[in-house]
Coordinates of all heavy atoms in Angstrom, one line a residue:
Q95 N -73.1 22.3 39.2 CA -72.3 23.4 38.8 C -72.5 23.7 37.3 O -72.6 22.9 36.4 CB -70.8 23.1 39.0 CG -69.9 24.2 38.7 CD -68.4 23.8 38.9 OE1 -68.1 22.7 39.4 NE2 -67.6 24.8 38.5
T96 N -72.5 25.1 37.0 CA -72.6 25.5 35.7 C -71.2 26.0 35.3 O -70.5 26.6 36.0 CB -73.5 26.8 35.6 OG1 -74.8 26.4 36.0 CG2 -73.6 27.3 34.1
V97 N -70.8 25.5 34.0 CA -69.5 25.8 33.5 C -69.5 26.3 32.1 O -70.4 25.8 31.3 CB -68.5 24.5 33.7 CG1 -69.1 23.4 32.8 CG2 -67.1 24.9 33.3
T98 N -68.7 27.2 31.8 CA -68.6 27.8 30.4 C -67.7 26.8 29.6 O -66.6 26.6 30.0 CB -68.1 29.2 30.4 OG1 -69.0 30.1 31.1 CG2 -68.1 29.7 29.0
F99 N -68.2 26.4 28.4 CA -67.5 25.5 27.6 C -68.0 25.7 26.2 O -69.2 25.6 25.9 CB -67.8 24.0 28.1 CG -66.8 23.0 27.6 CD1 -65.5 23.0 28.0 CD2 -67.3 22.0 26.7 CE1 -64.6 22.0 27.5 CE2 -66.4 21.0 26.3 CZ -65.1 21.0 26.6
S102 N -70.7 28.5 25.7 CA -72.0 28.5 26.3 C -71.9 28.0 27.7 O -70.9 27.4 28.0 CB -73.0 27.6 25.5 OG -73.1 28.1 24.2
N103 N -72.9 28.2 28.5 CA -72.9 27.7 29.9 C -73.7 26.4 30.0 O -74.8 26.3 29.6 CB -73.6 28.8 30.8 CG -72.8 30.1 30.9 OD1 -71.6 30.0 30.9 ND2 -73.5 31.2 30.9
W104 N -73.0 25.4 30.4 CA -73.5 24.0 30.5 C -73.7 23.7 32.0 O -72.9 23.9 32.8 CB -72.5 23.0 29.9 CG -72.5 23.2 28.4 CD1 -71.7 24.0 27.7 CD2 -73.0 22.3 27.4 NE1 -71.9 23.8 26.3 CE2 -72.6 22.7 26.2 CE3 -73.9 21.2 27.5 CZ2 -73.1 22.2 24.9 CZ3 -74.4 20.6 26.4 CH2 -74.0 21.1 25.1
Q105 N -74.9 23.0 32.1 CA -75.2 22.4 33.5 C -75.8 21.0 33.3 O -76.7 20.9 32.5 CB -76.1 23.3 34.3 CG -76.4 22.7 35.7 CD -77.4 23.5 36.5 OE1 -78.2 24.3 35.9 NE2 -77.4 23.3 37.7
F106 N -75.2 20.0 34.0 CA -75.7 18.7 33.9 C -77.0 18.7 34.8 O -76.9 18.9 36.0 CB -74.7 17.6 34.3 CG -75.2 16.3 34.4 CD1 -75.7 15.6 33.3 CD2 -75.2 15.6 35.7 CE1 -76.2 14.4 33.4 CE2 -75.7 14.4 35.8 CZ -76.2 13.7 34.7
F131 N -79.1 17.9 29.9 CA -78.2 19.1 30.2 C -79.1 20.3 29.9 O -80.0 20.4 29.0 CB -77.1 19.2 29.2 CG -76.0 18.0 29.4 CD1 -76.3 16.8 28.7 CD2 -75.0 18.2 30.2 CE1 -75.4 15.8 28.9 CE2 -74.1 17.2 30.4 CZ -74.2 15.9 29.8
L132 N -78.8 21.4 30.7 CA -79.4 22.7 30.5 C -78.3 23.6 30.0 O -77.2 23.7 30.6 CB -80.0 23.3 31.9 CG -80.9 22.3 32.6 CD1 -81.3 22.9 34.0 CD2 -82.2 22.1 31.7
V133 N -78.6 24.3 28.9 CA -77.5 25.1 28.2 C -78.1 26.5 28.0 O -79.2 26.7 27.6 CB -77.1 24.5 26.9 CG1 -76.0 25.3 26.3 CG2 -76.7 23.0 27.1
W144 N -69.5 24.1 18.4 CA -69.9 22.8 18.9 C -69.7 21.7 17.8 O -70.2 20.6 18.0 CB -71.3 22.8 19.2 CG -71.8 23.7 20.4 CD1 -71.0 24.6 21.0 CD2 -73.0 23.6 21.1 NE1 -71.7 25.1 22.1 CE2 -72.9 24.5 22.2 CE3 -74.2 22.9 20.9 CZ2 -74.0 24.8 23.0 CZ3 -75.3 23.2 21.7 CH2 -75.1 24.1 22.7
C147 N -69.6 17.7 18.5 CA -70.2 17.6 19.8 C -70.4 16.1 20.1 O -70.9 15.3 19.4 CB -71.6 18.3 19.9 SG -72.3 18.2 21.5
I149 N -71.4 13.7 23.4 CA -71.9 13.4 24.8 C -71.8 11.8 24.9 O -72.3 11.1 24.2 CB -73.3 13.9 25.1 CG1 -73.3 15.4 25.0 CG2 -73.7 13.4 26.5 CD1 -74.7 16.0 25.2
C177 N -77.4 17.1 21.0 CA -76.3 18.0 20.9 C -76.1 18.5 19.5 O -75.9 19.6 19.2 CB -75.1 17.4 21.4 SG -73.7 18.5 21.9
I193 N -80.9 19.9 26.4 CA -80.3 18.8 25.4 C -80.3 17.5 26.1 O -79.9 17.3 27.3 CB -78.8 19.3 25.1 CG1 -78.9 20.6 24.3 CG2 -78.1 18.2 24.4 CD1 -77.5 21.1 24.0
L211 N -68.8 15.5 28.1 CA -69.1 16.3 27.0 C -67.8 16.8 26.3 O -66.9 17.5 27.0 CB -69.9 17.6 27.4 CG -70.0 18.7 26.5 CD1 -71.0 18.3 25.3 CD2 -70.6 20.0 27.2
L213 N -66.4 19.1 22.8 CA -66.8 19.9 21.7 C -65.5 20.2 20.9 O -64.4 20.3 21.4 CB -67.3 21.3 22.2 CG -68.6 21.2 23.0 CD1 -69.0 22.6 23.6 CD2 -69.7 20.6 22.3
L221 N -65.4 17.9 29.4 CA -66.0 18.0 30.7 C -66.4 16.6 31.1 O -67.0 15.9 30.4 CB -67.2 18.9 30.6 CG -66.9 20.4 30.3 CD1 -68.2 21.2 30.4 CD2 -65.8 21.0 31.2
F223 N -68.7 15.2 34.2 CA -69.7 15.7 35.2 C -69.9 14.7 36.3 O -70.0 13.5 36.1 CB -71.1 16.0 34.5 CG -71.0 17.1 33.5 CD1 -70.8 16.9 32.2 CD2 -71.3 18.4 33.9 CE1 -70.8 17.9 31.3 CE2 -71.3 19.4 33.1 CZ -71.0 19.2 31.7

Side-chain angles (χ1 to χ4, degrees):
Q95 180 183 356
T96 301
V97 63
T98 301
F99 197 68
S102 297
N103 294 324
W104 290 80
Q105 181 183 19
F106 172 63
F131 295 86
L132 306 175
V133 181
W144 291 15
C147 181
I149 295 176
C177 198
I193 295 179
L211 169 68
L213 300 174
L221 299 180
F223 295 90

